[in-house]
Amino acid sequence: MSAAPAERDEAWRREAVLGNYAERPLPTPPPVVRIWSYADRLSYAPGDILRLSVCTNAARHAVEIVHDGVSPRTVFRTEDLPGAWRDTPDDCSVNGCGWPVSLEVPVGADWPSGGYIIRTSAREDGRGEDMHEHFFIVRPKPGGDRRGRILLVAATATWTAYNDWGGSNHYQGFCGSAGDRFSPVLSILRPLARGFVSLPPDAPRAVLTDHPPIMAEPRYPHMEWAYANGYSKKYMSSGWASFERHFVLWAEREGYALDIISQTDLHQQPDLLEGYACVALVGHDEYWSWEMRDAIDAYAERGGRIARFAGNFMWQIRLEEEGRRQVCYKYLARAEDPLMQSGPRHLVTESWEAPEIGRPGAASFGLNATHGLYASWSGCSPRGAKGFPVYRPGHWAFAGTGLYYGDVLGASARIFGYEVDGLPYEIRGGLPFPADPSRVPDGLEILALGLSATIEEGPTIVPGRSFLGVEDGEYVASVLTGRSDAAAVEATKRGSGMIVHFPRGRGEVFHAGTCDWIMGLTLRDEMVMQVTRNVLNRFLG
Ligand SMILES: [Fe+2]
């Protein structure tokens, strides 16, 4: 076990926060046993064939598949499979590992829709042991009565964006002419990084547990923990273990019937939404395609109810190669996304609020990422409320909570952060209203509102040492104003995080725009659970 972060020196801590220590393929087999695997898709229908690729330097290995839940259940196990070391290209994050298929697993016709862990493991006398976890979703079977069931759309595009196995993701990497840039293109044909599938319960979250002391420079307990313990730097940014799993376990304990699909399913098969009265989205849900938005918007228009307990609805992506390749140029889009030249421009992979796209996130979910962003960590309100200040406690969503005007919802479970979605607003008579009602859905009500920021700045921020810096603040300014100078940043850097509700067509949308809402469920905050039940029960009818 590692030394406590406090015992590490400053250079170590800087590497934990600013370095790229993603797991990279090894050019030659190491002396100790190692194993990794990946599946050929993010999700399967019952009856499909899952194709598993494994790389190990052990002579034999085992594969176990577990349906995750309150009581995890093994649905497949095989031992004593022959192992093989695979050469892995340096650009595997971008183009996939290219390992041959080691094992074909029939997805059982009786496997319920849900989240499944693939555990590959190997051990050899004198060479130690290793275990890797990958993950897939089983979609619901066609047919059947779905009206009483929740359909959870897992934020798999965000998982892909943050997965740093191979060295590159949509944040850091070894791409670009100098080999030091994030990758705008990512393959799903690579292992999930450590911590995306399961985590010890004491793994720190990004939202800070304690208020930093007087005049303290920002610290990042989750990244220090990742670096000290050999986990992905992004374990707390994305993945089943940090987000969706919390909701699925809570819903199961509460007695909700729940099915799961991936975002790629939503993109490719929008008819999977048919028959569900309520679609849920949870956690860190940052990357969507145009087609996914078409699917969810049409669902609401025809009477679907959307419960989004999630934050950071930020970037448009494109999916290619039947969903195995994800494209997002982000900050580089205007300069490098080929669609900026060739069109169609509305599919350029940048912020939804960019004028080229013309489809602000608020049109679907009531809130925009660019009017929210960071809260409760780093140099962005690290001593903030950590919950949602409530402005309209009389709304049906708060029934049975006893909340009053000015109360803070979910502070003890620290549900507010680490990224939140908001709107420009004005306060009249002590109540918040959208600053420009023409830019939000008709009938949108702001129920709760906290503060966020696009930039960290203050007396204890040392440029070049803090994690967030100015890049996001300048990018948001450029999207919202066309400029990224100091005046534009000043005009756009103060955001919000909101809970909103609005009718949409024949349906409706409830949106608590924060990544860590699910911590109110896992830590059993009575009021967060009650609000969640109020929304789900109403939407399920
Ligand atoms: Fe994010």
Side-chain angles (χ1 to χ4, degrees), residues 158 162 171 237 284-287 311-312 314-315 373-374 418-419 515:
T158 303
Y162 281 91
Y171 295 83
S237 294
H284 190 180
D285 183 26
E286 181 172 349
Y287 295 81
N312 201 218
M314 181 79 187
W315 304 102
L373 228 50
Y374 303 113
Y418 75 100
E419 292 174 337
C515 294

Side-chain angles (χ1 to χ4, degrees), residues 23 118 135 156-157 166 202 233 245 252 295 303 315 335 458 467 485 507:
E23 191 164 14
I118 305 170
F135 190 84
T156 47
D202 62 342
K233 184 179 180 178
R245 184 173 196 268
E252 187 183 335
W315 304 102
F467 179 72
D485 54 74

Side-chain angles (χ1 to χ4, degrees), residues 21 39 52 60 79 81 83 103 115 118 133 140 144 156 170 183 254 274 336 342 367 383 402 421 456 514 537:
Y21 42 93
L52 187 71
R60 318 294 299 178
E79 300 192 33
L81 295 169
L103 181 68
I118 305 170
E133 291 181 326
T156 47
H170 282 340
S183 179
E254 288 280 311
E274 283 299 331
E336 296 189 20
S342 68
L367 300 174
R383 304 174 187 86
D421 293 334
E456 48 188 5
T514 181
N537 293 348

Side-chain angles (χ1 to χ4, degrees), residues 51-395:
R51 292 174 181 84
L52 187 71
S53 298
V54 180
C55 170
T56 180
N57 57 350
R60 318 294 299 178
H61 69 280
V63 177
E64 181 183 29
I65 297 179
V66 175
H67 179 203
D68 201 11
V70 173
S71 305
R73 188 171 65 91
T74 298
V75 295
F76 176 90
R77 181 165 178 85
T78 182
E79 300 192 33
D80 209 25
L81 295 169
W85 185 258
R86 313 294 188 189
D87 290 330
T88 307
D90 276 347
D91 65 353
C92 62
S93 303
V94 181
N95 294 315
C97 289
W99 304 341
V101 174
S102 311
L103 181 68
E104 293 194 340
V105 180
V107 176
D110 59 342
W111 293 11
S113 178
Y116 288 74
I117 299 170
I118 305 170
R119 282 201 187 100
T120 45
S121 59
R123 66 176 300 280
E124 284 184 5
D125 290 343
R127 295 182 66 211
E129 60 187 322
D130 195 19
M131 190 264 284
H132 175 261
E133 291 181 326
H134 201 72
F135 190 84
F136 65 95
I137 289 162
V138 172
R139 299 193 287 272
K141 260 187 245 187
D145 183 9
R146 295 169 168 181
R147 285 209 64 81
R149 305 180 69 79
I150 300 165
L151 182 67
L152 175 69
V153 181
T156 47
T158 303
W159 302 1
T160 300
Y162 281 91
N163 179 24
D164 57 2
W165 203 97
S168 297
N169 59 11
H170 282 340
Y171 295 83
Q172 282 188 302
F174 301 103
C175 300
S177 53
D180 60 355
R181 235 174 52 179
F182 77 90
S183 179
V185 177
L186 295 171
S187 173
I188 69 158
L189 299 178
R190 56 190 172 120
L192 283 169
R194 188 165 181 232
F196 275 55
V197 179
S198 70
L199 281 169
D202 62 342
R205 298 197 70 83
V207 170
L208 295 174
T209 309
D210 303 314
H211 285 189
I214 185 169
M215 285 306 289
E217 219 185 308
R219 288 281 295 271
Y220 306 87
H222 69 293
M223 287 189 264
E224 293 183 13
W225 183 90
Y227 191 45
N229 293 287
Y231 280 80
S232 166
K233 184 179 180 178
K234 297 299 189 186
Y235 82 86
M236 196 44 72
S237 294
S238 185
W240 171 255
S242 285
F243 293 102
E244 281 84 353
R245 184 173 196 268
H246 290 271
F247 181 77
V248 169
L249 266 58
W250 177 82
E252 187 183 335
R253 289 193 178 103
E254 288 280 311
Y256 289 106
L258 182 138
D259 296 327
I260 310 181
I261 62 172
S262 71
Q263 280 183 279
T264 306
D265 296 327
L266 183 68
H267 177 103
Q268 294 172 332
Q269 304 177 59
D271 57 344
L272 284 169
L273 304 182
E274 283 299 331
Y276 288 96
C278 175
V279 166
L281 306 148
V282 304
H284 190 180
D285 183 26
E286 181 172 349
Y287 295 81
W288 278 59
S289 69
W290 189 270
E291 292 84 348
M292 294 170 196
R293 288 192 66 180
D294 282 350
I296 204 81
D297 288 352
Y299 169 76
E301 287 292 335
R302 62 178 184 263
R305 273 91 171 258
I306 298 166
R308 188 172 193 266
F309 308 106
N312 201 218
F313 192 76
M314 181 79 187
W315 304 102
Q316 171 160 238
I317 59 168
R318 294 194 297 274
L319 292 182
E320 299 176 351
E321 297 182 356
E322 299 176 329
R324 294 190 174 91
R325 196 173 141 99
Q326 176 166 307
V327 179
C328 193
Y329 284 84
K330 304 176 70 172
Y331 315 98
L332 307 173
R334 288 181 181 175
E336 296 189 20
D337 189 332
L339 294 200
M340 272 305 279
Q341 301 304 320
S342 68
R345 279 229 178 154
H346 72 277
L347 296 180
V348 166
T349 53
E350 60 181 319
S351 160
W352 289 110
E353 284 79 77
E356 290 84 12
I357 298 180
R359 196 178 187 181
S364 291
F365 295 124
L367 300 174
N368 295 320
T370 51
H371 294 109
L373 228 50
Y374 303 113
S376 310
W377 72 301
S378 199
C380 296
S381 56
R383 304 174 187 86
K386 311 260 184 354
F388 280 102
V390 173
Y391 281 79
R392 289 184 166 89
H395 191 271

